Amino acid sequence: MSTASARATFDHLVIAAASLAEGTAWVEDRLGVPSGGGGVHAFMGTHNALWRLGDAYIEVIAIDPAAPGPDRPRWLSLDAPETKARIAARPRLITWQIRPNRPLDDAVAAMAARGIDTGPPLDAARDDLVWRLTVRGDGALALGGLFPVMIEWRAGDRLPPQRLPETPLALERIEIAGAPGSLAPALADLGAHGLAQIGEAGEPALRAHLDTPRGPVVLD
C-alpha cells in the first residue's frame, strides 16, 4: 500500500475523569450539549460517555467501580498515579485518536522504527462495535498522550459518530505545546500532518478548541 499521499483521519478526543458521572457533567456543562451514548469495556474495567463531533466524537472515560479490574494495566494510563492525580481536580483531555494512513500493524512498526513506542494493536469490543487500537503493556500513553492512540475499526461497521445524535459541536483545531522534535515527522509519516498545530515551546500540553452553543470552548 502506498502511503505517499494517503491521509490519516481524526477519530476522537479522549477525556479522562475520576468518575464517569463527574466527567459527563463536566463536559455537558462546558459544551451545553448532553451525552449521546456510551457503554462499558468489561475487559478493561472502564466505561464511557460520547458526544458526536461531526464525523468524529468526544469520549469521556473512567474506571468502572462496579467492574473487576483487568489482569493488566488499564489502557489510556488510567491506572497511573500521575493520571489519577491530574484528574482528581477535574477531568482532563489526555490524548487524541487517529486512523492512520496504513494498516495498523504497519503503522506500529513505522513508529517503532522512529523510536516511538505505541504498544501493539489490541483487539477491543463494546456491544457490537469491534476495533483494534494501540495499547502499551504498561498502559502508558506514547509521548505522554501528545502522540495519538492509533485505532482501526472493523470494516463495514457503523462508526460511533454514525450511532450518535447530531450536535452543533465543531472542532476548530487541536493544539500541541511542548512537543518533542520527533512528533511532527512521525505524524507526517502517518498522514496526520495538519490534524494538529504543533509547537515545541512551553510545557507539554494538549488542547482542543471547539465551537459550541456556549461559544468557543477549550478542552485541556
Side-chain angles (χ1 to χ4, degrees):
M1 171 184 177
S2 173
T3 60
S5 60
R7 299 299 302 271
T9 302
F10 168 63
D11 198 82
H12 68 279
L13 301 170
V14 183
I15 296 169
S19 75
L20 187 59
E22 177 186 350
T24 301
W26 185 79
V27 173
E28 289 180 344
D29 180 66
R30 297 293 304 280
L31 305 183
V33 176
S35 167
V40 300
H41 316 104
F43 67 102
M44 274 289 170
T46 59
H47 51 177
N48 67 6
L50 309 177
W51 289 254
R52 185 166 181 169
L53 189 59
D55 292 331
Y57 63 101
I58 299 167
E59 174 185 26
V60 167
I61 192 165
I63 293 173
D64 183 354
D71 58 0
R72 53 162 295 155
R74 289 180 177 88
W75 53 12
L76 302 167
S77 76
L78 292 178
D79 285 328
E82 297 84 359
T83 300
K84 291 183 176 181
R86 286 186 67 202
I87 65 178
R90 66 165 176 85
R92 302 281 181 176
L93 177 64
I94 57 167
T95 194
W96 51 308
Q97 297 203 17
I98 66 167
R99 286 171 260 157
N101 61 355
R102 66 194 75 181
L104 190 56
D105 296 275
D106 294 347
V108 168
M111 294 304 99
R114 290 180 171 275
I116 297 177
D117 179 11
T118 66
L122 176 75
D123 293 332
R126 177 176 68 78
D127 302 322
D128 65 333
L129 277 168
V130 177
W131 68 98
R132 302 168 75 222
L133 77 169
T134 50
V135 180
R136 285 174 34 162
D138 59 4
L141 291 165
L143 302 184
L146 301 184
F147 185 87
V149 172
M150 296 187 291
I151 190 168
E152 182 178 77
W153 296 96
R154 183 171 61 183
D157 281 0
R158 292 174 63 240
L159 301 186
Q162 300 168 321
R163 299 164 181 249
L164 296 168
E166 291 188 6
T167 73
L169 303 173
L171 177 65
E172 296 297 325
R173 66 188 183 278
I174 294 171
E175 290 182 344
I176 298 174
S182 59
L183 181 58
L187 291 179
D189 189 10
L190 295 170
H193 51 290
L195 294 184
Q197 296 179 359
I198 301 172
E200 297 183 7
E203 292 294 316
L206 178 67
R207 304 181 186 93
H209 294 253
L210 278 69
D211 183 20
T212 82
R214 298 196 169 163
V217 169
V218 178
L219 299 177
D220 60 5

